[in-house]
């Protein structure tokens, strides 16, 4: 992440994120990232993994431009606005939002399926990637295998939905794994 000094987040026409990201990169304004997560959907009674937008309509731009104007190039017409902080009108991500953007960068914008353990009636996420997120699971849909994560802090980004899979269960303080996961109780 050290190669870019500033991170901004653009709000775009939903469904045009990849067009905007490609145009940003082609224009030389920095590297654009469209965060994606793996989602499981039920097709013909089989769970199929597919990549979907983590934050529909949002594109993260990593650059060295202190002042950036995203206009006058292909794809710019789909940019609705640059996210800013209400109190300072600052458009450069900071604090918890910057940590979130750096987390996305470290994953190259691709968030896989979180590994979880069944602990009695509860589900506990044990995936190391999740530990860096600093969030709290506030809702789970066990049928769709997704969880809503409320992000810690007072940033622009408040919550995201992530897919999870149960890879084992905790019994009497010991992990009984469905598959090898390299975890210790």
């Amino acid at each position: 992440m050290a190669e870019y000094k500033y991170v901004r987040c653009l709000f775009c026409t939903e469904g045009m994120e990849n067009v905007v990201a490609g145009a940003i990169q082609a224009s030389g304004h920095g590297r654009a990232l469209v965060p994606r997560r793996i989602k499981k959907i039920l097709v013909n009674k089989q769970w199929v993994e597919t990549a979907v937008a983590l934050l529909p309509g949002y594109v993260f731009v990593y650059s060295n431009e202190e002042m950036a104007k995203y206009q006058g190039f292909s794809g710019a017409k789909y940019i609705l606005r640059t996210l800013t902080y209400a109190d300072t009108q600052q458009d450069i991500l900071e604090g918890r939002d910057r940590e979130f953007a750096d987390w996305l960068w470290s994953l190259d914008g691709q968030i896989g399926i979180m590994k979880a353990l069944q602990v009695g009636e509860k589900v506990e996420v044990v995936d190391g990637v999740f530990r860096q997120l600093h969030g709290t699971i506030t809702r789970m849909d066990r049928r769709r295998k997704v969880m809503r994560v409320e992000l810690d802090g007072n940033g622009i980004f408040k919550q995201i939905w992530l897919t999870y899979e149960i890879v084992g269960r905790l019994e009497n303080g010991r992990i009984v794994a469905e598959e090898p996961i390299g975890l210790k109780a």
Side-chain angles (χ1 to χ4, degrees):
M1 190 54 230
E3 62 188 283
Y4 296 112
K5 190 172 181 180
Y6 304 106
V7 181
R8 292 177 176 83
C9 187
L10 306 178
F11 181 58
C12 309
T13 304
E14 196 169 318
M16 301 307 287
E17 300 93 343
N18 289 331
V19 172
V20 169
I24 292 288
Q25 289 184 182
S27 70
H29 281 292
R31 178 161 177 227
L33 193 71
V34 179
R36 300 223 174 270
R37 71 176 173 97
I38 299 298
K39 178 180 181 180
K40 286 189 172 187
I41 57 172
L42 198 56
V43 177
N44 296 327
K45 299 181 182 181
Q46 295 283 338
W47 287 104
V48 177
E49 294 179 6
T50 185
V52 297
L54 174 68
L55 299 164
Y58 293 92
V59 174
F60 289 80
V61 180
Y62 301 79
S63 75
N64 290 317
E65 295 180 348
E66 186 173 356
M67 302 293 290
K69 298 290 182 196
Y70 303 108
Q71 56 194 11
F73 57 88
S74 169
K77 64 184 174 188
Y78 300 114
I79 300 171
L80 303 175
R81 65 186 173 92
T82 303
L83 295 187
T84 59
Y85 293 99
D87 54 345
T88 63
Q89 296 304 306
Q90 171 78 8
D91 68 349
I92 298 169
L93 297 183
E94 55 189 31
R96 186 66 190 104
D97 293 323
R98 176 61 186 251
E99 288 177 28
F100 179 66
D102 290 347
W103 179 71
L104 292 172
W105 175 271
S106 73
L107 298 171
D108 198 29
Q110 303 296 319
I111 301 171
I113 297 172
M114 300 287 116
K115 292 181 179 7
L117 290 177
Q118 185 76 41
V119 183
E121 293 297 313
K122 296 181 180 180
V123 172
E124 180 180 326
V125 177
V126 292
D127 200 309
V129 169
F130 186 76
R131 290 187 186 130
Q132 297 171 334
L133 187 58
H134 306 291
T136 304
I137 300 170
T138 57
R139 187 168 172 218
M140 296 187 80
D141 184 332
R142 292 175 192 254
R143 186 176 60 82
R144 291 190 176 132
K145 300 180 182 182
V146 295
M147 60 186 166
R148 182 176 66 198
V149 178
E150 298 283 335
L151 301 176
D152 296 345
N154 294 324
I156 294 171
F157 306 101
K158 305 286 186 212
Q159 66 184 16
I160 57 174
W161 285 88
L162 299 174
T163 305
Y164 72 92
E165 68 180 341
I166 303 294
V167 294
R169 61 190 184 284
L170 192 64
E171 292 180 0
N172 300 322
R174 299 186 61 157
I175 295 174
V176 179
E178 306 288 326
E179 60 183 69
I181 55 175
L183 300 172
K184 296 177 185 169

